[in-house]
Amino acid sequence: MSVNIFGKTNVGSSQRVISGGVTLSQAINTFLRRDGKNAADANINMDSHNIINVLDPANAQDAATKNYVDTRAVSKTGDTMTGTLDMNGRAITNLLDPSAAQGAATKSYVDKQDSAQIITLNSYVDTHAVSKSGDTMTGDLNMGGRMVKGLPVHYPPTTYLGSEASSWSQVTQLVNAEVQNAIKITKELITKELITNTPKKSYSGYVPILEENISRTGFVATASAVTTDKFQAYGAFNSLNADGSNGSWATPAKKGWLQIKCPEPVTIWKVALKAKAIDGKNITEWNFSGSHDGKTFEPLLTSTTKLFDSANAPLFFDISTTTAYQYYRLAIQASTGAGDLGVQVMQLYVLST
C-alpha cells in the first residue's frame, strides 16, 4: 500500500498501515477526528487554551460561545433586561435604596416611606376629611342625590337655628304647624271677609214715607192708572194717611200695575204687600218683577196668594235674587169684584253690605 509524503493513504481502507505500524482503526479509536465522526471518551483539558470559532449552541448540552452568553445572560457588572425576569418565588437581596423613580425599592425604603405616608395621610385627612366628632365645612357638599339620615328632632321646634338642617319629621312638623297656622289665619280672614262683605238682611223698610209721586227723597212712584187724585201711586208708600185719604193707590180697572223707582239699584230679599181696604176688592193673581231701565222687567215672583181687602196687616214674601234693580213693579193679573181695586202697602226690604 502506497503512502504519500504526508503519511496519508486511502481513508476508505481501515487496514492501511500508518507510520509506526498503527492501523486506521487504532487511530480512530485513539484520536478525535477532524470531521467530527467520533466522540471523546473522557474530559479534554485545554490547559489554559481557548476553543475558538465555535458556533452558537443549538442543543441544550452544546458548548456556549462568549457572544451567546453575553447577549443572553445578566452581567454581574450591570446590565439591562430585554424581557421579564421571573424570580419563581426567589428573593432579590442586598439592594441599595432607590434613587431613580423606576429603581427597585428595598423593604427598608418602603417601610420608611409608609411611615412618612401615614404621617402625611393623617395630616391630609385631618385637614380635608370631615370628623365624626363634629366639624365645619369649608365648601359645598354635593350629596349626589343621596340622603342625609339620622338628623335630630328638636322639641319644641323653635329651638332650631336658621342655619341648622332639619330632619324630615321635623320639617313635616314645622310645615304642618305653619300650614295649620296659615289655615287658621285664612279662616279668620275669610270669616272677617264674609262678615264684612256678606250682604245683611235689613228688616226696616227701604222706601220712606212719600209725600208725592216724585219725592224729595229720590223715589218716584208710578202706576198704570188711578181712580182719583186721592189714590195716586205714592199713596201705597204713605202709611201716615188713612186708606181713602192719600193712603192707597187705586185703579179703575180689574188689572193694573204699581211701580217704584229707587234712587239707585238695590238688591231686595223681601217685599210686603197689602190690598186696598174696599169690600170685595181682593187681588187673586199677581207677579213681582225688577228692571234696570223701567222698560224690560225680569220676573222675581209669581203668586196666586190672595191679597185680601180685609187684612189688617201686609203679607211678606221672600224674593230670591242677587241682582240689584232700580225699578220694582207689582202687576195685578186677576182680582175679584168690579174695578177700583188697589194697594195700600208696598214695601221693599234690601240686602246691605
Side-chain angles (χ1 to χ4, degrees):
M1 178 183 299
S2 61
V3 179
N4 62 22
I5 60 174
F6 299 104
K8 294 182 179 181
T9 183
N10 186 358
V11 294
S13 176
S14 61
Q15 299 301 318
R16 233 171 289 173
V17 177
I18 309 298
S19 173
V22 179
T23 67
L24 179 59
S25 296
Q26 291 174 329
I28 291 172
N29 291 331
T30 303
F31 303 102
L32 288 176
R33 293 183 57 150
R34 293 179 62 188
D35 59 10
K37 290 186 177 181
N38 63 350
D41 292 332
N43 295 332
I44 298 175
N45 186 348
M46 297 304 296
D47 195 20
S48 299
H49 293 85
N50 293 326
I51 300 175
I52 63 174
N53 296 323
V54 178
L55 288 174
D56 285 342
N59 300 311
Q61 296 304 112
D62 290 352
T65 64
K66 180 178 183 298
N67 176 69
Y68 182 85
V69 173
D70 289 345
T71 58
R72 287 167 173 78
V74 178
S75 175
K76 292 177 63 175
T77 59
D79 216 332
T80 301
M81 295 295 297
T82 59
T84 302
L85 178 61
D86 185 352
M87 296 305 297
N88 195 26
R90 304 302 194 276
I92 299 176
T93 61
N94 295 324
L95 287 174
L96 286 175
D97 285 344
S99 58
Q102 296 303 109
T106 64
K107 180 179 183 300
S108 172
Y109 179 84
V110 172
D111 290 345
K112 291 177 182 178
Q113 296 305 310
D114 285 346
S115 177
Q117 286 292 331
I118 289 172
I119 295 172
T120 302
L121 286 173
N122 286 342
S123 174
Y124 183 87
V125 169
D126 289 343
T127 56
H128 291 80
V130 178
S131 174
K132 291 176 66 176
S133 62
D135 218 328
T136 301
M137 296 294 296
T138 59
D140 295 334
L141 178 62
N142 187 344
M143 297 304 299
R146 305 305 194 274
M147 294 188 295
V148 177
K149 296 184 177 181
L151 290 171
V153 178
H154 292 301
Y155 295 99
T158 52
T159 59
Y160 265 121
L161 299 178
S163 60
E164 290 184 342
S166 301
S167 66
W168 176 251
S169 60
Q170 191 74 66
V171 170
T172 303
Q173 183 182 22
L174 292 171
V175 170
N176 287 340
E178 290 299 319
V179 168
Q180 293 301 320
N181 187 48
I183 291 174
K184 180 181 177 182
I185 293 174
T186 302
K187 285 182 176 179
E188 291 175 352
L189 291 175
I190 291 175
T191 302
K192 183 178 180 181
E193 185 74 12
L194 288 173
I195 292 173
T196 302
N197 297 324
T198 299
K200 301 174 183 62
K201 293 180 178 180
S202 174
Y203 290 88
S204 297
Y206 177 65
V207 182
I209 297 172
L210 301 185
E211 73 287 353
E212 55 187 10
N213 284 335
I214 302 177
S215 173
R216 292 187 296 270
T217 59
F219 291 85
V220 177
T222 55
S224 57
V226 296
T227 54
T228 65
D229 289 342
K230 289 184 179 182
F231 297 101
Q232 294 289 334
Y234 78 91
F237 305 96
N238 187 343
S239 59
L240 295 179
N241 296 330
D243 189 26
S245 179
N246 294 331
S248 299
W249 161 73
T251 177
K254 292 177 65 69
K255 296 181 180 181
W257 53 263
L258 174 65
Q259 176 180 294
I260 186 71
K261 177 186 176 184
C262 303
E264 60 184 3
V266 291
T267 304
I268 67 172
W269 67 279
K270 181 183 289 190
V271 63
L273 298 172
K274 181 181 180 300
K276 182 175 177 289
I278 300 177
D279 292 341
K281 307 296 183 178
N282 300 316
I283 301 172
T284 58
E285 186 176 338
W286 53 275
N287 63 61
F288 195 79
S289 57
S291 174
H292 300 293
D293 56 8
K295 298 177 181 179
T296 303
F297 284 83
E298 298 292 335
L300 301 177
L301 178 63
T302 298
S303 177
T304 56
T305 302
K306 290 183 180 181
L307 303 177
F308 292 104
D309 62 305
S310 59
N312 294 322
L315 296 180
F316 295 90
F317 299 91
D318 290 337
I319 303 296
S320 179
T321 183
T322 57
T323 304
Y325 297 102
Q326 192 167 5
Y327 297 83
Y328 288 96
R329 175 180 288 186
L330 170 68
I332 301 170
Q333 303 297 322
S335 62
T336 60
D340 200 27
L341 76 152
V343 176
Q344 185 177 2
V345 176
M346 178 173 162
Q347 183 57 270
L348 307 178
Y349 296 87
V350 301
L351 291 173
S352 61
T353 56

